[in-house]
Amino acid sequence: MKVGVIGSGYVGLTSAACLAHMGHDVVAADLDPDRVARLNKGDVPILEEGLPRLVAEGLASRRLRFVVGAPNAARDAELVLICVATPQGDDGSADMSFVAAAAREIAPVLRPGTVVINKSTMPVGSTRFVHRVLHEAAGGQLDRVTVASNPEFLREGQAVRDFLNPDRIVVGCDDPEGAVKVSDLYRSMRAPVIVTDPASAEMIKYASNAFLATKISFINAIANLCEAVDADVREVALGMGYDPRIGFQFLHPGPGYGGSCFPKDTAALLHTAQRHGYDFALLEGVIAVNERQYDLTVDKLRSAVGGEFAGAVVGAWGLTF
Ligand SMILES: NC(=O)c1ccc[n+]([C@@H]2O[C@H](COP(=O)([O-])OP(=O)(O)OC[C@H]3O[C@@H](n4cnc5c(N)ncnc54)[C@H](O)[C@@H]3O)[C@@H](O)[C@H]2O)c1
């Protein structure tokens, strides 16, 4: 299939390289001409196992190209993946300005029948939002263009492995033909495909990240309590994890979650709840525990260096997040 990818950052670059590896013809766009020039030489700006090899393979087979400007990737595509950033806005909501700008840029060049795929993490209502922006930007001339939600679940550090071996593929689309086209993109993968309505697909991504954040805050809260009662949280997590309903993953106490997704996605979900009048006290607690954990970590460090940071040499381990 002919695929256009808008945004060649973490998700866009990984998606583009992996889709080309799977046999699709992929044109990936970015705003940054230096990044595009580097990528066309096979120079991969992020550290991800296997990614340089897939990019080199894609460039050599001509199934992968990088271009400046979203329209140049969208013009001939049957499927266009929007992979631009959706950072946290001032009020906690997801900032959709990059998405809107990308949609406005591609609207005039989309072929009839194209499916635009929201791959970035976008709040409930975003497929309708993107369709509206496309429609307006095309001056009402949008011909049979469908918008679908297809959230990405890859983890930084394991991006290629996660993209090529997904636990599940989620497709949210009101149009059955559009849903089939998006599913076909992943036909060679052995993974369950959940085809659902757009709102549910969008919620699946936020609910998944919020649930993982909840596990982290829960074990951090238990760790703090363990310290107070002289119990060992590692033993507690081990004893909990053997229960298959609980599992071992995300039961590692630490300095709190960070990174490019959990903080902004939990804030955005909370914002959605507030906007719809739902008091999501549980999620508020998860976020509050996490923020307190940062302070607790600093307190622990301070006491470890004798009460005063000035002049101390501090090693940081695990810089990914
Ligand atoms: N990073 C992750 O681990 C991860 C995992 C799952 C989902 N996501 C979601 O995927 C989305 C993208 O995240 P990311 O980490 O890849 O972001 P990123 O900042 O690494 O990449 C975004 C890229 O889009 C480019 N861009 C912005 N506007 C553009 C336009 N109009 N035309 C062309 N290019 C444009 C930027 O120059 C940048 O290179 C976010 O919504 C994020 O929440 C990220």
Side-chain angles (χ1 to χ4, degrees):
M1 298 172 103
K2 289 188 169 191
V3 182
V5 175
I6 313 303
S8 302
Y10 232 100
V11 167
L13 175 56
T14 306
S15 303
C18 291
L19 289 170
H21 175 69
M22 288 156 64
H24 299 295
D25 282 320
V26 184
V27 183
D30 206 276
L31 290 173
D32 178 356
D34 291 337
R35 191 178 184 89
V36 169
R38 280 180 66 180
L39 286 168
N40 274 322
K41 287 187 208 137
D43 180 4
V44 174
I46 55 174
L47 194 62
E48 282 294 340
E49 198 183 338
L51 194 53
R53 190 176 55 77
L54 291 193
V55 169
E57 175 194 281
L59 292 171
S61 66
R62 297 181 189 275
R63 279 200 303 270
L64 178 61
R65 279 192 300 131
F66 297 95
V67 295
V68 179
N72 293 326
R75 191 163 282 117
D76 295 320
E78 303 163 74
L79 294 151
V80 179
L81 276 65
I82 298 186
C83 301
V84 300
T86 50
Q88 188 172 332
D90 293 338
D91 59 358
S93 65
D95 175 352
M96 293 288 284
S97 58
F98 295 104
V99 174
R104 277 193 290 271
E105 284 177 60
I106 62 173
V109 304
L110 292 177
R111 298 193 327 181
T114 304
V115 182
V116 173
I117 300 176
N118 288 354
K119 198 148 205 40
S120 298
T121 304
M122 303 188 203
V124 173
S126 295
T127 57
R128 255 179 292 132
F129 169 76
V130 169
H131 195 272
R132 197 170 60 242
V133 174
L134 289 170
H135 186 74
E136 285 167 10
Q141 302 292 308
L142 207 61
D143 188 7
R144 287 172 289 128
V145 169
T146 309
V147 183
S149 166
N150 170 221
E152 180 52 53
F153 298 96
L154 65 78
R155 292 163 292 176
E156 291 186 9
Q158 320 220 30
V160 169
R161 195 178 326 150
D162 284 352
F163 190 95
L164 292 175
N165 304 285
D167 299 315
R168 76 298 211 188
I169 292 158
V170 175
V171 180
C173 191
D174 282 331
D175 168 36
E177 242 180 78
V180 169
K181 276 193 195 164
V182 181
S183 309
D184 276 352
L185 192 60
Y186 304 105
R187 199 196 298 212
S188 61
M189 285 176 169
R190 294 172 65 86
V193 180
I194 297 147
V195 177
T196 183
D197 60 281
S200 302
E202 289 156 346
M203 186 55 94
I204 286 169
K205 175 64 189 177
Y206 281 97
S208 300
N209 274 2
F211 188 78
L212 294 172
T214 302
K215 277 188 100 173
I216 295 171
S217 277
F218 184 84
I219 200 64
N220 279 334
I222 292 291
N224 298 334
L225 190 54
C226 280
E227 280 188 2
V229 300
D230 213 12
D232 183 343
V233 68
R234 286 167 302 186
E235 300 289 316
V236 174
L238 189 68
M240 289 169 68
Y242 276 110
D243 184 332
R245 294 169 303 176
I246 298 173
F248 291 106
Q249 292 199 48
F250 282 71
L251 279 191
H252 304 285
Y257 58 78
S260 61
C261 292
F262 283 8
K264 76 171 177 70
D265 291 348
T266 46
L269 185 58
L270 191 58
H271 184 269
T272 299
Q274 284 160 351
R275 209 158 52 85
H276 288 82
Y278 177 64
D279 176 16
F280 204 157
L282 175 62
L283 188 56
E284 274 177 37
V286 167
I287 294 169
V289 166
N290 196 58
E291 277 166 9
R292 219 165 39 229
Q293 202 67 12
Y294 298 161
D295 294 333
L296 286 175
T297 305
V298 174
D299 291 346
K300 273 179 188 287
L301 280 170
R302 189 182 284 111
S303 68
V305 297
E308 191 47 67
F309 279 122
V313 177
V314 179
W317 197 7
L319 279 180
T320 305
F321 297 125

